[in-house]
Amino acid sequence: MLIGAGLKRSEHKKAEILAAARDIFLKEGYADAGMEAVARAAGVSTATLYAYFPSKAELFRTVVVDSVRTMAEPVRESARTVGDARARLTALSRAYAEFFATPATRAMFRMVTAERRRFEGVADHFLGAARESLGGAAIQVVKELNASGELKVDKPSWAAGQLMGMLDHATLVLGLSAGDEVQPDRPVNQIAEDAVETFLARYGTG
């Protein structure tokens, strides 16, 4: 019982450290982020911080890997929406557009891209995991709707890519070019609904 409680406290403390580190890395960048600042933000001593993460590089790697796992969860969850083609595609598209309209998401993509030369393997993992989580959710929905006859698609991966492409430009690309906080002129829900309308006009059977 005591061992279990100790493990839970340890995991909770680790989560607090990762949350603090992510905020500081996104705000300051890798080079300017200090381990002492992370320790203060997490409410631990530097000795405790180094006990969990022996170096800043290891902390950065863990932050990036953990972030892509947690940040994309709403998009993966949207793939389990029940309903007809329009309902399912709209739920997916809204979650996807909201994901890329979120300042923290854009900041993470920008930071990982900026640090690619220093952490090539981390960047490859992040982008690959993001592609698998986001693209995988879209492909899953398109395949299931194709199998049920609600869509007529020859290559689900291509069709899913077209849907995501309509959402990327107004959300992620806008943020990366104009600033993490900049939001589209149209509401995100409207962007998603318009993309679904165009997609169904091309691939829908109803």
Side-chain angles (χ1 to χ4, degrees):
M1 193 73 168
L2 291 175
I3 293 176
L7 288 173
K8 286 183 179 179
R9 282 196 299 271
S10 178
E11 287 302 310
H12 180 69
K13 184 57 65 179
K14 181 178 180 180
E16 289 180 335
I17 291 171
L18 289 175
R22 186 174 77 171
D23 289 345
I24 290 174
F25 281 134
L26 291 180
K27 181 180 179 180
E28 306 292 342
Y30 176 81
D32 293 331
M35 293 292 271
E36 295 81 3
V38 173
R40 284 196 302 271
V44 300
S45 67
T46 53
T48 297
L49 175 58
Y50 279 108
Y52 280 91
F53 302 100
S55 68
K56 186 168 75 168
E58 180 60 26
L59 177 58
F60 181 82
R61 292 187 188 96
T62 306
V63 164
V64 171
V65 170
D66 182 72
S67 293
V68 72
R69 178 181 60 81
T70 58
M71 293 170 69
E73 179 55 33
V75 179
R76 291 194 296 269
E77 180 64 29
S78 73
R80 294 189 278 273
T81 298
V82 176
D84 61 11
R86 185 179 298 278
R88 296 195 66 193
L89 290 168
T90 299
L92 172 76
S93 297
R94 283 177 177 172
Y96 186 87
E98 287 170 0
F99 174 79
F100 279 126
T102 301
T105 300
R106 294 162 165 182
M108 182 62 69
F109 272 79
R110 176 175 45 75
M111 181 182 70
V112 170
T113 300
E115 295 297 337
R116 182 176 185 83
R117 292 182 65 182
R118 195 192 316 257
F119 295 100
E120 183 176 357
V122 174
D124 287 344
H125 173 85
F126 177 84
L127 296 175
R131 183 167 55 249
E132 182 178 343
S133 293
L134 303 172
I139 293 169
Q140 174 190 335
V141 172
V142 171
K143 280 184 174 179
E144 290 173 358
L145 292 173
N146 197 44
S148 69
E150 295 177 80
L151 296 179
K152 184 175 176 55
V153 174
D154 292 329
K155 294 192 175 184
S157 61
W158 288 11
Q162 290 171 347
L163 176 61
M164 291 186 293
M166 286 188 282
L167 302 167
D168 284 342
H169 183 74
T171 54
L172 176 62
V173 174
L174 171 66
L176 294 180
S177 60
D180 297 337
E181 302 289 338
V182 176
Q183 292 299 305
D185 292 334
R186 293 181 295 151
V188 169
N189 284 351
Q190 186 62 58
I191 293 171
E193 290 168 9
D194 288 348
V196 170
E197 191 69 32
T198 301
F199 187 82
L200 287 174
R202 172 66 178 84
Y203 293 111
T205 60

